[in-house]
Amino acid sequence: MTAPGHRTATRRVPAGDRARRKREAIVRAASGAFLRDGYDAGMDAIAAEAGVSKVTVYNHFGSKEELFTAIVGDILDRALADSTALVEARLGASDDVRADLTAICRAWVAGHATPEVLALHNVVVGSTRRFPDLGRTWQELGPDRFHTLVRAALQELVDRGRLVIDDVPLAAIQLSGLVLLPHIAYGAAGSAPDADLTERLITGGVDMFLARYLPSATPTP
């Protein structure tokens, strides 16, 4: 996937205010191109839309894959910003796990159930058979990164006796499946849940999660 002649390990990335402005223009142009045309978006078109030469694009991003990875990282950073802040600030030390987990899940869903994130997800899914690395990039910069934070916070709650979880990594995936996956699945197909259903999915998902893992819950045989 890396363009011939553009080795990221040896190139010198431009620096300074002018270079920063060019980089931002490239990222804006590439975001629009990838979301509109998928991974088949051409580097010539991206350069033209950014108002720079293709050489300049490759000076900043050594390959198309590197540019796409930067776009994925930028979009997922914004999508996860609020939920990440809440997990780090509140979940592990929470004295009201239901309220804090619900607030985190609301932020998690709100960050992902946007046209931009859903369109990017469709691009990744549609290109994964040809370019498996795109799927791994999404997984690493999105689910894996957030699940790592959630796992750490859940473990703190377990250590404090607020939850009883034998398999914390599995629990983090279960939480994602309950509250986020319906929005990704339906939203990617153009039929995102409305506000009422969104709230019911979140609160119901948190209730199901806690019914399984609160200390008073009876484990399923």
Side-chain angles (χ1 to χ4, degrees):
M1 289 171 59
T2 303
H6 299 284
R7 296 179 59 83
T8 60
T10 58
R11 82 180 194 280
R12 220 175 137 186
V13 178
D17 287 342
R18 187 162 176 264
R20 177 184 53 78
R21 289 193 296 271
K22 288 187 176 182
R23 181 183 177 89
E24 290 172 353
I26 294 166
V27 168
R28 284 194 302 271
S31 296
F34 284 128
L35 295 182
R36 182 181 63 246
D37 302 326
Y39 194 70
D40 289 330
M43 297 292 269
D44 287 312
I46 290 170
E49 192 169 337
V52 301
S53 69
K54 190 161 73 167
V55 170
T56 298
V57 175
Y58 279 116
N59 284 340
H60 285 271
F61 302 94
S63 67
K64 186 177 183 179
E65 181 182 6
E66 185 179 335
L67 176 56
F68 187 78
T69 298
I71 301 305
V72 172
D74 181 63
I75 290 176
L76 289 179
D77 279 349
R78 295 197 301 271
L80 289 168
D82 291 343
S83 54
T84 293
L86 287 172
V87 170
E88 293 177 331
R90 291 164 57 174
L91 186 56
S94 177
D95 289 321
D96 189 341
V97 177
R98 187 181 304 276
D100 287 334
L101 197 56
T102 300
I104 287 163
C105 289
R106 286 189 182 118
W108 196 9
V109 169
H112 282 75
T114 66
E116 183 181 47
V117 175
L118 294 172
L120 180 65
H121 181 261
N122 280 350
V123 170
V124 172
V125 171
S127 305
T128 297
R129 286 190 66 182
R130 288 188 297 157
F131 306 111
D133 284 350
L134 299 185
R136 285 190 284 272
T137 293
W138 173 276
Q139 187 70 26
E140 290 168 4
L141 297 181
D144 286 354
R145 179 167 50 141
F146 193 67
H147 287 169
T148 297
L149 295 174
V150 172
R151 288 197 301 267
L154 291 178
Q155 187 61 58
E156 287 185 59
L157 291 170
V158 170
D159 294 342
R160 293 174 55 226
R162 303 309 301 266
L163 295 177
V164 178
I165 305 175
D166 292 330
D167 189 338
V168 170
L170 175 64
I173 296 171
Q174 289 171 330
L175 181 64
S176 175
L178 286 167
V179 302
L180 182 62
L181 185 58
H183 298 85
I184 296 292
Y186 285 92
S191 56
D194 61 23
D196 177 68
L197 180 54
T198 292
E199 182 65 12
R200 285 157 53 208
L201 284 166
I202 292 169
T203 56
V206 170
D207 285 345
M208 291 178 70
F209 183 83
L210 294 180
R212 175 66 180 86
Y213 291 120
L214 281 174
S216 59
T218 301
T220 301

